[in-house]
Structures are given as structure tokens and as C-alpha cells.
Amino acid sequence: MASRVDALADAYTRHVGLPWDRGLAPPQRVWFAVYPKEEERRLRYKVEAFQLATTDPKGAGKKWVLVDLTDSFARWLDGEKYRESYFKNPKMMAPKLPRFLDFAAGEVVAAAEAQGADEDTVVAVLGVASLFGFVQVSDLVPRVVSRLSGRLLVFFPGSREGNVYKLLDAREGWNYLATPITAFDDGSAP
């Protein structure tokens, strides 16, 4: 029996291989690969299957850019002038978090641009769970996709009910019109 991540990779392979409509608005070019949060390590281990499904000339034949945001908060904080003060009093950091949102979005866009992403590119974002508590994925996605011409694939550890997504199943969900890609047609886990 295939794992949930294997089933998700199979669903993604079918989805990425469909013809791409070039006239879509930015929010319509967002895909969420939704998987149970417990499967994060397995997904990371199998992320190459998603890349191969994208780039295989016999399959989708598209370009692939992977951006891992897992360490982006640490990279941002390292550049902050008052970082030592934030460790002593973390509440001082709260007003600065919009700058972290800009930083994280900038990392995704910069990586895409550096690798020549175009309308035939899937820009895959891994590590969004590490943003939890600092910024919301619902704020990050529009900032990124509006600056890309291809597809934005967000590896999303959490759940989905209709168009409501819950990161890490830990807070109230938010409604987003991304195209969900799940291991199972209804988005639920067995």
C-alpha cells in the first residue's frame, strides 16, 4: 500500500501534466499540496518525486524551482540590528514581523528569478510550517504569486475543508481559492 505522500505525489503528477492555461489570474496559479502535518519528514524525503513529475520531458516537461523557507526566520533575524534585544524581550519583535513577511516573500521571488523562472515554471515552496507564529501563509502567498508568471506550489502541512485551509491544524482556517492537490479526492486523510 502506498503512503499518503506517495499518493500525493501521484496526484501531483496527474495535475502538473494537465495543459496549462496561460491566461489565469495570479490567485488561480496557486496549487496547495495538502498533507497531514505528521508526514512532513516523509514529504521532504520524497520531494524529488514532485520535481521529477514536473521536469520529466515525457510528462509535464516544465521547469522546477524549490525554495525552502525552513530557516528564513533565522536568516532574517540574523540581519536585524536589535536581534539581541529581541531574545531578551520577544514582544519587541512583534512590530517588526511585517518586515519578516517581506523578507520571506523576497526570498521566494529572488530564488525564482535567479533560476530563470518563467510561465513554464513551478516554483515550489517548502517549509511553510516554520512561519507559524510569525507570519501567515495567507499573507505570504499573494505577495509571491503576484510576482511570478508560472505556477506556485505550496507544500502545505495541515488540512483543508472546501476552500478553508488550516496550517498545522492549529488555528482557525482561512479561505483561499488555490487549487488543492491532495492524496485523496475529498482532501481528507484516512
Side-chain angles (χ1 to χ4, degrees):
M1 177 174 213
S3 75
R4 290 180 281 194
V5 171
D6 290 331
L8 179 62
D10 290 343
Y12 174 78
T13 299
R14 289 187 299 276
H15 188 80
V16 74
L18 296 173
W20 287 17
D21 184 348
R22 303 281 183 213
L24 296 178
Q28 296 171 308
R29 292 186 275 113
V30 178
W31 301 336
F32 274 37
V34 182
Y35 56 95
K37 62 187 178 193
E38 301 83 23
E39 298 290 327
E40 179 71 18
R41 287 177 46 194
R42 180 171 284 138
L43 181 119
R44 286 175 175 271
Y45 180 73
K46 302 255 183 169
V47 77
E48 190 173 273
F50 294 84
Q51 177 182 0
L52 292 173
T54 305
T55 60
D56 183 358
K58 294 179 183 175
K62 305 295 184 185
K63 295 183 221 169
W64 171 267
V65 173
L66 179 65
V67 183
D68 189 349
L69 293 179
T70 302
D71 298 330
S72 64
F73 184 77
R75 287 189 296 273
W76 171 75
L77 190 58
D78 186 51
E80 285 294 300
K81 182 178 180 180
Y82 299 107
R83 66 182 170 269
E84 296 301 324
S85 299
Y86 299 155
F87 289 120
K88 293 176 187 170
N89 186 358
K91 290 180 182 179
M92 291 176 54
M93 190 181 342
K96 307 293 184 195
L97 290 178
R99 291 190 352 213
F100 170 57
L101 176 60
D102 292 336
F103 178 86
E107 281 198 320
V108 176
V109 173
E113 290 173 351
Q115 295 186 47
D118 59 19
E119 63 185 8
D120 285 322
T121 304
V122 173
V123 176
V125 179
L126 187 64
V128 297
S130 65
L131 305 176
F132 186 80
F134 300 115
V135 298
Q136 295 182 8
V137 176
S138 60
D139 293 330
L140 177 73
V141 168
R143 288 174 189 245
V144 171
V145 74
S146 65
R147 298 169 61 191
L148 301 175
S149 58
R151 300 299 191 263
L152 177 65
L153 170 65
V154 177
F155 288 107
F156 192 84
S159 61
R160 170 188 76 88
E161 292 178 26
N163 288 336
V164 177
Y165 294 85
K166 293 182 180 182
L167 181 65
L168 302 175
D169 302 329
R171 69 172 192 91
E172 272 303 307
W174 50 280
N175 194 338
Y176 195 74
L177 297 177
T179 300
I181 303 171
T182 63
F184 306 96
D185 290 338
D186 65 357
S188 65

Short mmCIF file of all heavy atoms in Angstrom, two decimals, residues 32-38 156-174 180 182 186-189:
data_model
loop_
_atom_site.label_atom_id
_atom_site.label_comp_id
_atom_site.label_asym_id
_atom_site.label_seq_id
_atom_site.Cartn_x
_atom_site.Cartn_y
_atom_site.Cartn_z
N PHE A 32 -1.93 24.11 -3.81
CA PHE A 32 -1.58 23.69 -2.45
C PHE A 32 -1.53 22.17 -2.42
O PHE A 32 -2.55 21.52 -2.64
CB PHE A 32 -2.62 24.17 -1.44
CG PHE A 32 -2.40 25.55 -0.92
CD1 PHE A 32 -1.92 26.56 -1.72
CD2 PHE A 32 -2.69 25.87 0.39
CE1 PHE A 32 -1.72 27.84 -1.25
CE2 PHE A 32 -2.50 27.15 0.88
CZ PHE A 32 -2.01 28.13 0.06
N ALA A 33 -0.36 21.62 -2.18
CA ALA A 33 -0.21 20.18 -1.95
C ALA A 33 -0.44 19.97 -0.46
O ALA A 33 0.42 20.25 0.36
CB ALA A 33 1.17 19.70 -2.38
N VAL A 34 -1.63 19.51 -0.12
CA VAL A 34 -2.06 19.40 1.27
C VAL A 34 -1.79 17.99 1.77
O VAL A 34 -2.17 17.00 1.13
CB VAL A 34 -3.56 19.73 1.41
CG1 VAL A 34 -4.00 19.67 2.86
CG2 VAL A 34 -3.87 21.10 0.80
N TYR A 35 -1.14 17.91 2.93
CA TYR A 35 -0.81 16.61 3.51
C TYR A 35 -0.85 16.73 5.02
O TYR A 35 -0.71 17.83 5.58
CB TYR A 35 0.57 16.13 3.03
CG TYR A 35 1.69 17.11 3.31
CD1 TYR A 35 2.48 17.01 4.45
CD2 TYR A 35 1.94 18.17 2.43
CE1 TYR A 35 3.49 17.92 4.70
CE2 TYR A 35 2.94 19.08 2.68
CZ TYR A 35 3.72 18.95 3.82
OH TYR A 35 4.71 19.87 4.07
N PRO A 36 -1.04 15.61 5.72
CA PRO A 36 -1.07 15.66 7.19
C PRO A 36 0.28 16.14 7.74
O PRO A 36 1.34 15.76 7.24
CB PRO A 36 -1.32 14.21 7.59
CG PRO A 36 -1.93 13.58 6.38
CD PRO A 36 -1.33 14.27 5.21
N LYS A 37 0.21 16.96 8.76
CA LYS A 37 1.43 17.53 9.35
C LYS A 37 2.40 16.45 9.81
O LYS A 37 3.61 16.67 9.79
CB LYS A 37 1.07 18.48 10.49
CG LYS A 37 0.37 17.80 11.64
CD LYS A 37 -0.12 18.77 12.68
CE LYS A 37 -0.86 18.01 13.78
NZ LYS A 37 -1.60 18.87 14.64
N GLU A 38 1.90 15.29 10.16
CA GLU A 38 2.76 14.20 10.62
C GLU A 38 3.63 13.66 9.49
O GLU A 38 4.59 12.94 9.74
CB GLU A 38 1.92 13.04 11.18
CG GLU A 38 1.03 13.41 12.34
CD GLU A 38 -0.30 14.02 11.90
OE1 GLU A 38 -0.75 13.80 10.75
OE2 GLU A 38 -0.88 14.76 12.70
N PHE A 156 1.82 22.18 1.88
CA PHE A 156 1.01 22.68 2.99
C PHE A 156 0.71 21.58 4.01
O PHE A 156 -0.19 20.76 3.80
CB PHE A 156 -0.30 23.26 2.44
CG PHE A 156 -1.08 24.05 3.44
CD1 PHE A 156 -0.80 25.38 3.68
CD2 PHE A 156 -2.11 23.45 4.14
CE1 PHE A 156 -1.53 26.11 4.61
CE2 PHE A 156 -2.85 24.16 5.07
CZ PHE A 156 -2.56 25.50 5.30
N PRO A 157 1.45 21.56 5.14
CA PRO A 157 1.17 20.57 6.18
C PRO A 157 -0.02 21.01 7.03
O PRO A 157 0.07 21.95 7.81
CB PRO A 157 2.46 20.55 6.99
CG PRO A 157 3.02 21.94 6.83
CD PRO A 157 2.60 22.39 5.46
N GLY A 158 -1.13 20.37 6.83
CA GLY A 158 -2.32 20.76 7.56
C GLY A 158 -3.53 20.08 6.96
O GLY A 158 -3.46 18.93 6.52
N SER A 159 -4.63 20.81 6.92
CA SER A 159 -5.86 20.22 6.40
C SER A 159 -6.63 21.24 5.59
O SER A 159 -6.34 22.44 5.63
CB SER A 159 -6.72 19.70 7.56
OG SER A 159 -7.08 20.77 8.42
N ARG A 160 -7.61 20.71 4.88
CA ARG A 160 -8.46 21.55 4.03
C ARG A 160 -9.87 21.01 4.09
O ARG A 160 -10.10 19.81 4.04
CB ARG A 160 -7.96 21.49 2.59
CG ARG A 160 -8.88 22.13 1.58
CD ARG A 160 -8.44 21.88 0.15
NE ARG A 160 -8.72 20.55 -0.33
CZ ARG A 160 -9.86 20.17 -0.90
NH1 ARG A 160 -10.84 21.02 -1.03
NH2 ARG A 160 -10.02 18.94 -1.32
N GLU A 161 -10.82 21.92 4.21
CA GLU A 161 -12.24 21.60 4.09
C GLU A 161 -12.82 22.62 3.13
O GLU A 161 -12.91 23.80 3.46
CB GLU A 161 -12.93 21.68 5.44
CG GLU A 161 -12.50 20.61 6.41
CD GLU A 161 -13.17 20.74 7.76
OE1 GLU A 161 -14.28 21.31 7.82
OE2 GLU A 161 -12.58 20.29 8.75
N GLY A 162 -13.16 22.20 1.92
CA GLY A 162 -13.59 23.14 0.89
C GLY A 162 -12.41 24.03 0.53
O GLY A 162 -11.35 23.54 0.19
N ASN A 163 -12.61 25.32 0.63
CA ASN A 163 -11.52 26.27 0.37
C ASN A 163 -10.90 26.80 1.65
O ASN A 163 -10.17 27.79 1.62
CB ASN A 163 -12.02 27.45 -0.47
CG ASN A 163 -12.30 27.04 -1.90
OD1 ASN A 163 -11.75 26.06 -2.40
ND2 ASN A 163 -13.18 27.77 -2.55
N VAL A 164 -11.18 26.18 2.78
CA VAL A 164 -10.63 26.63 4.06
C VAL A 164 -9.44 25.75 4.42
O VAL A 164 -9.55 24.53 4.52
CB VAL A 164 -11.70 26.57 5.18
CG1 VAL A 164 -11.09 26.97 6.52
CG2 VAL A 164 -12.87 27.48 4.83
N TYR A 165 -8.29 26.40 4.59
CA TYR A 165 -7.04 25.72 4.88
C TYR A 165 -6.62 26.01 6.32
O TYR A 165 -6.73 27.15 6.78
CB TYR A 165 -5.94 26.20 3.93
CG TYR A 165 -6.19 25.82 2.50
CD1 TYR A 165 -6.99 26.60 1.68
CD2 TYR A 165 -5.64 24.67 1.97
CE1 TYR A 165 -7.22 26.25 0.36
CE2 TYR A 165 -5.86 24.31 0.66
CZ TYR A 165 -6.66 25.09 -0.14
OH TYR A 165 -6.89 24.74 -1.44
N LYS A 166 -6.11 24.98 7.01
CA LYS A 166 -5.63 25.13 8.38
C LYS A 166 -4.19 24.64 8.45
O LYS A 166 -3.94 23.43 8.36
CB LYS A 166 -6.50 24.33 9.35
CG LYS A 166 -7.91 24.86 9.48
CD LYS A 166 -8.68 24.05 10.50
CE LYS A 166 -10.09 24.59 10.63
NZ LYS A 166 -10.85 23.85 11.65
N LEU A 167 -3.26 25.56 8.60
CA LEU A 167 -1.85 25.21 8.72
C LEU A 167 -1.61 24.50 10.05
O LEU A 167 -1.98 25.02 11.10
CB LEU A 167 -0.98 26.46 8.63
CG LEU A 167 0.53 26.24 8.72
CD1 LEU A 167 1.02 25.43 7.51
CD2 LEU A 167 1.26 27.57 8.78
N LEU A 168 -1.03 23.32 9.99
CA LEU A 168 -0.73 22.50 11.17
C LEU A 168 -1.97 22.16 11.98
O LEU A 168 -1.87 21.77 13.13
CB LEU A 168 0.31 23.19 12.06
CG LEU A 168 1.64 23.52 11.41
CD1 LEU A 168 2.52 24.32 12.36
CD2 LEU A 168 2.35 22.27 10.93
N ASP A 169 -3.14 22.34 11.40
CA ASP A 169 -4.42 22.09 12.08
C ASP A 169 -4.51 22.86 13.40
O ASP A 169 -5.20 22.44 14.31
CB ASP A 169 -4.61 20.59 12.36
CG ASP A 169 -4.55 19.75 11.11
OD1 ASP A 169 -4.95 20.24 10.04
OD2 ASP A 169 -4.09 18.60 11.20
N ALA A 170 -3.79 23.98 13.52
CA ALA A 170 -3.62 24.60 14.82
C ALA A 170 -4.40 25.89 15.03
O ALA A 170 -4.38 26.43 16.12
CB ALA A 170 -2.13 24.88 15.05
N ARG A 171 -5.01 26.43 14.01
CA ARG A 171 -5.73 27.68 14.22
C ARG A 171 -6.93 27.71 13.29
O ARG A 171 -7.08 26.87 12.42
CB ARG A 171 -4.83 28.89 13.97
CG ARG A 171 -4.42 29.10 12.52
CD ARG A 171 -3.69 30.44 12.36
NE ARG A 171 -3.53 30.78 10.99
CZ ARG A 171 -4.38 31.50 10.27
NH1 ARG A 171 -5.49 31.95 10.81
NH2 ARG A 171 -4.15 31.79 9.01
N GLU A 172 -7.77 28.72 13.45
CA GLU A 172 -8.88 28.88 12.55
C GLU A 172 -8.36 28.93 11.12
O GLU A 172 -7.33 29.53 10.85
CB GLU A 172 -9.63 30.19 12.84
CG GLU A 172 -10.70 30.08 13.87
CD GLU A 172 -11.75 29.03 13.55
OE1 GLU A 172 -12.33 29.05 12.45
OE2 GLU A 172 -11.99 28.18 14.41
N GLY A 173 -9.06 28.31 10.25
CA GLY A 173 -8.64 28.28 8.85
C GLY A 173 -8.88 29.59 8.15
O GLY A 173 -9.55 30.48 8.66
N TRP A 174 -8.34 29.69 6.97
CA TRP A 174 -8.55 30.87 6.13
C TRP A 174 -8.96 30.38 4.76
O TRP A 174 -8.59 29.31 4.30
CB TRP A 174 -7.29 31.74 6.08
CG TRP A 174 -6.04 30.98 5.75
CD1 TRP A 174 -5.29 30.22 6.59
CD2 TRP A 174 -5.40 30.89 4.48
NE1 TRP A 174 -4.23 29.67 5.93
CE2 TRP A 174 -4.27 30.06 4.63
CE3 TRP A 174 -5.67 31.43 3.22
CZ2 TRP A 174 -3.43 29.76 3.58
CZ3 TRP A 174 -4.81 31.13 2.18
CH2 TRP A 174 -3.71 30.32 2.37
N PRO A 180 -6.42 22.84 -4.76
CA PRO A 180 -5.86 21.86 -3.83
C PRO A 180 -5.42 20.60 -4.57
O PRO A 180 -6.08 20.14 -5.50
CB PRO A 180 -7.04 21.56 -2.90
CG PRO A 180 -8.25 21.81 -3.74
CD PRO A 180 -7.87 22.92 -4.69
N THR A 182 -4.47 16.86 -3.30
CA THR A 182 -4.48 16.01 -2.12
C THR A 182 -4.29 14.55 -2.52
O THR A 182 -4.48 14.18 -3.68
CB THR A 182 -5.80 16.16 -1.34
OG1 THR A 182 -6.87 15.70 -2.17
CG2 THR A 182 -6.05 17.60 -0.93
N ASP A 186 -11.28 14.02 -1.75
CA ASP A 186 -12.00 14.95 -0.89
C ASP A 186 -11.10 15.75 0.03
O ASP A 186 -11.56 16.57 0.80
CB ASP A 186 -13.05 14.20 -0.06
CG ASP A 186 -12.43 13.22 0.93
OD1 ASP A 186 -11.19 13.08 0.93
OD2 ASP A 186 -13.19 12.62 1.69
N GLY A 187 -9.78 15.52 -0.03
CA GLY A 187 -8.85 16.29 0.78
C GLY A 187 -8.67 15.77 2.19
O GLY A 187 -7.89 16.29 2.96
N SER A 188 -9.40 14.72 2.53
CA SER A 188 -9.29 14.20 3.89
C SER A 188 -8.22 13.13 3.97
O SER A 188 -7.79 12.58 2.98
CB SER A 188 -10.64 13.63 4.33
OG SER A 188 -10.97 12.51 3.53
N ALA A 189 -7.82 12.86 5.16
CA ALA A 189 -6.83 11.80 5.40
C ALA A 189 -7.59 10.56 5.88
O ALA A 189 -8.65 10.66 6.49
CB ALA A 189 -5.83 12.24 6.45
#
